[in-house]
Amino acid sequence: MTTPRYQQLADDLSHCIRSGVLKPGDQVPSVRQLCALHDASPATVTHALHILEDRGLIEARPRQGFFVRTQSFAYPSQCALPGRPKAIELEGHRKLVMEFAQTCGNHFLGMSAIDDSLFPTKALKKLLVQQLHRNDNIVNDASYTGDIALREQIARRSLLLDCDFLPDEIVLTHGATEALDLCLRLLTKPGDIVAIAAPGPLRTLEMLEGQGLQALEIPSHPCDGLSVDALEFALRHHKVAALVVNANFPSPTGSLMPDKEKARLAELTGRHGVPVIEIDIFGELTHGPQRPKPVKAFDRHDNVLYCGDYRYVISPGFSVGYIAAGRHRLTLQACRKVHGEPVAALIQQTLASFMASGQYEPHLRRLRSQLASQMAAYRAAVFRYFPKGTRVACASGGMLLWLELPEGTDMTELQRRSHCEGYVFAPGALFSQGESFNNCLRINTGHPMTVELEQGVRVIGELAHAVQAEAAVLA
Amino acid sequence: MTTPRYQQLADDLSHCIRSGVLKPGDQVPSVRQLCALHDASPATVTHALHILEDRGLIEARPRQGFFVRTQSFAYPSQCALPGRPKAIELEGHRKLVMEFAQTCGNHFLGMSAIDDSLFPTKALKKLLVQQLHRNDNIVNDASYTGDIALREQIARRSLLLDCDFLPDEIVLTHGATEALDLCLRLLTKPGDIVAIAAPGPLRTLEMLEGQGLQALEIPSHPCDGLSVDALEFALRHHKVAALVVNANFPSPTGSLMPDKEKARLAELTGRHGVPVIEIDIFGELTHGPQRPKPVKAFDRHDNVLYCGDYRYVISPGFSVGYIAAGRHRLTLQACRKVHGEPVAALIQQTLASFMASGQYEPHLRRLRSQLASQMAAYRAAVFRYFPKGTRVACASGGMLLWLELPEGTDMTELQRRSHCEGYVFAPGALFSQGESFNNCLRINTGHPMTVELEQGVRVIGELAHAVQAEAAVLA
């Protein structure tokens, strides 16, 4: 599967914007100019421009054409070099995490989640009842490594990822969390150094802490994801036991690694013999027409352990994860028998029959377009209510919106006041051990925009104004 | 709830046998003598004698009365003192574990499991369909800390354990495995010393290894469980971060701690400020009339984190575990949001409605009596086919039968040959880091005895004869 022409063009133009060839406020060349420059059809060029618009990089001005957005992210300077590996045991960080976990429960803007109305409830219910009638022992059946029907469906769909998993190498788990846990157990021992993205998913940081591992934070761009240059530098200077990477729309930024970088990443880690644990739980939630490939698609060395999860794709009631374990399959299957709990066959077989039923693709199309329009609504609200100088990441998939407030914004104070008003967001400091993201925050856009949620964005935005104004007076 | 009279009498007589006051082969005083000695009714004495018989400590000889069994366990001498704490990283042990996990899959004698026919399949199925019809969003619902209906049922049943959990302090998990994982995460950090039983459950050892903890193995008697004397000695000499204990019928021995020892354990750990993680997954599977109390029932200091699991009680398809978290509830709830995966509401609510339906107690009665008769059938087969000098533990609950072959039996060879013949058991070396149990093995009795399974016990027994005979020739 090759990258389509419009995608290539969109990637090239993104690169021009991020590298500064096209600056904020600049007019983008016209469709006619681009057609001539790139030897492409008007349809291809228009498609590429819409992708850039979706990514938040450019905006249309009536009768004038496209302009580079002034509020998109610039490549932060601290992205140049990774820090030093650190054992994770920051008391302050832990406190922050616990506070967040205790408060975010019923707050739609806080925890990453997708609204129940976006899941195929009726179809799943019908299939559950069918399964109960069809199979006598299904309520007791449970397996450690996975029902064959489900493993076959996963293998079949892997062709769309440009991978070709075998049913035999799939190991089922309780969600991607357990998948990551097992892979780390397999590849590391306490004290080892594991490379991760910064900012990166909170769960990964927490899991490294739990297993007594050291985190080597590799800078990750809010739009392009993990910096492979920084990773290359890190691998030259440290003995890294494994890399954990989420290439497609990860928490907190929703970034997307370009295919070229994914290929480089696979080649680089293969050459250094550093195994990769790839978590691809949001890849299916692309807002664009094409589901992005995982790093695994570029893996020529059987060096990438690919982990998926149906929780955000099919339903939180079906939090079934899996590992495409390649040459590690026997060890991981045995490992799961010792460390894991069996997964109910009822859940697995219903999932498999949903995937086999022909209802999966239409569901995905609806889910993707709904998430895209929700993200747009929240992004618009942020532009409306947040202070000037707020940068907004350009996620083109998933449901997480990453904001960078002007340097020096007192996030602790903003968080405290927002919470008093009844609104919770995820502060940037959650997603790294360092302090680079203390002026950032993450908003969940998984729920359809309502008057009340818009009010929430407004309140947080206005409080950000207030906090900034007070800081300016003090300075 | 006080210990019933017959139970006290049974415990006293057990003590006489284990301490050597009554020796193997000795005749037990008659019912009439015991009535007079203990000022008890004939019914009480008979009941107590039947308990001892169930425990495998005494046997009836026609027209002669009861005699102390010659093949019951004596208190092993190495029980006197615990060893030193060790970081768990024995390559040999790991290899053994992986081999076992890879081979035990379809072997009924290997892995600890209960036959599907013993679970309330029809009732669960009916309730699942009801739940699906009753609640519109149930297929998507999933919670991190647990559905209130289920937490209320758990709280209600805790009265039967002589505990009184509040619904608010219950934290739901994916089985007891995750419960233990969370509790260890809460109470320890890598490098800490955790006291565990030896022999003890393989999962506990494995989990300590995964979290980089050191294991301090406390000798555990195959009948009376963890030696509180040895624990006391250990606590005087080491800084212990937590104790993990299974007081009721744990793997691999099926031992049962007497109430007196449970009370001492609770008092001792409370006094030393050493938190206890109690795993009570087999307690409901007593073969006797009275479900044994957990250590938690004697906890006056909110010092015991109690963990349960419905997997072995209701169905493997309902592998829902929980922690009664006491003062740690808020932290553990938050911890689970960060580290865990949501548990499907469909499973939780079906479990709750089964427990509320009045079908739970009758199911438990059937399950207990079936397990008791299965255990008796396997025990009889072992007596029939295994070499003289084989000792058989006296489990009075659960489905695990622990055998000690004569010193010096080459278990690796026995295992290899059994596997060649198509039979797998769990070798004793799995359950400790030390070598004290290299001549022991565990057999699962969770499946109803069949001609084929009896054949399995016979083959293993005959191979044990052969291996011994060869060793004798060489010696």
Side-chain angles (χ1 to χ4, degrees), chain A residues 116-127:
Chain A
D116 284 345
S117 64
L118 276 64
F119 296 118
T121 310
K122 271 194 192 154
L124 291 172
K125 214 175 221 185
K126 206 169 148 194
L127 290 170

Side-chain angles (χ1 to χ4, degrees), chain B residues 37 39 96 111 116 136 160 224-225 233 248 263 282 292 301 307-308 317 336-337 339 363 396 399 459 474:
Chain B
L37 269 170
D39 192 20
L96 201 66
M111 206 129 176
D116 284 344
D136 265 350
L160 300 175
D224 292 334
F233 178 88
N248 301 325
F282 296 128
H301 310 273
C307 307
R336 179 144 217 286
K337 277 191 203 151
H339 295 287
H363 158 63
S396 55
M399 68 296 188
V459 166
L474 288 173

Side-chain angles (χ1 to χ4, degrees), chain A residues 15-275:
Chain A
H15 186 73
C16 290
I17 293 170
R18 281 169 196 154
S19 60
V21 174
L22 283 169
K23 293 197 175 46
D26 280 358
Q27 182 160 16
V28 179
S30 69
V31 172
R32 189 187 300 180
Q33 286 170 318
L34 287 170
C35 286
L37 271 170
H38 294 273
D39 192 20
S41 73
T44 302
V45 168
T46 312
H47 199 155
L49 289 171
H50 284 151
I51 290 177
L52 293 186
E53 203 181 6
D54 280 347
R55 289 187 189 166
L57 289 174
I58 62 174
E59 57 191 352
R61 296 191 193 157
R63 294 162 200 264
Q64 298 184 55
F66 284 97
F67 288 78
V68 177
R69 209 160 199 159
T70 46
Q71 293 187 309
S72 57
F73 265 104
Y75 209 78
S77 57
Q78 73 267 28
C79 270
L81 291 179
R84 295 172 175 286
K86 282 187 202 161
I88 307 177
E89 41 176 71
L90 301 179
E91 267 310 305
H93 191 262
R94 156 121 314 210
K95 204 167 147 266
L96 201 65
V97 171
M98 286 300 144
E99 265 175 30
F100 175 64
Q102 282 170 8
T103 55
C104 69
N106 299 312
H107 295 277
F108 281 2
L109 301 173
M111 205 130 176
S112 65
I114 292 177
D115 203 80
D116 284 345
S117 64
L118 276 64
F119 296 118
T121 310
K122 271 194 192 154
L124 291 172
K125 214 175 221 185
K126 206 169 148 194
L127 290 170
L128 277 166
V129 174
Q130 271 177 18
Q131 291 294 333
L132 283 167
H133 286 164
R134 194 174 297 163
N135 179 336
D136 266 350
N137 197 42
I138 198 162
V139 301
N140 298 321
D141 273 352
S143 66
Y144 280 97
T145 49
D147 195 89
I148 181 65
L150 180 54
R151 287 189 279 121
E152 278 174 3
Q153 285 301 324
I154 292 171
R156 200 159 302 164
R157 280 199 68 84
S158 75
L159 298 175
L160 300 176
L161 310 180
D162 212 5
C163 298
D164 51 349
F165 304 148
L166 300 172
D168 269 0
E169 64 171 316
I170 307 287
V171 180
L172 256 74
T173 61
H174 278 299
T177 306
E178 194 199 336
L180 174 57
D181 183 67
L182 284 176
C183 292
L184 285 173
R185 232 180 255 273
L186 174 77
L187 300 172
T188 69
K189 53 182 194 313
D192 278 356
I193 298 172
V194 174
I196 58 173
L202 175 56
R203 269 168 199 263
T204 309
L205 265 180
E206 287 291 308
M207 197 166 297
L208 297 194
E209 189 201 14
Q211 298 201 10
L213 295 160
Q214 294 190 76
L216 176 59
E217 297 199 336
I218 310 293
S220 176
H221 187 274
C223 298
D224 291 337
L226 193 86
S227 159
V228 181
D229 291 333
L231 178 66
E232 189 162 20
F233 178 88
L235 295 188
R236 275 206 305 272
H237 290 81
H238 298 285
K239 192 173 156 7
V240 171
L243 164 71
V244 180
V245 69
N246 307 46
N248 301 324
F249 323 125
S251 170
T253 59
S255 63
L256 174 63
M257 283 182 78
D259 278 355
K260 236 185 305 181
E261 294 302 295
K262 287 174 182 160
R264 268 185 75 207
L265 176 72
E267 190 279 325
L268 176 71
T269 49
R271 180 153 45 82
H272 278 81
V274 172

Side-chain angles (χ1 to χ4, degrees), chain B residues 31 208 473:
Chain B
V31 172
L208 297 194
V473 169

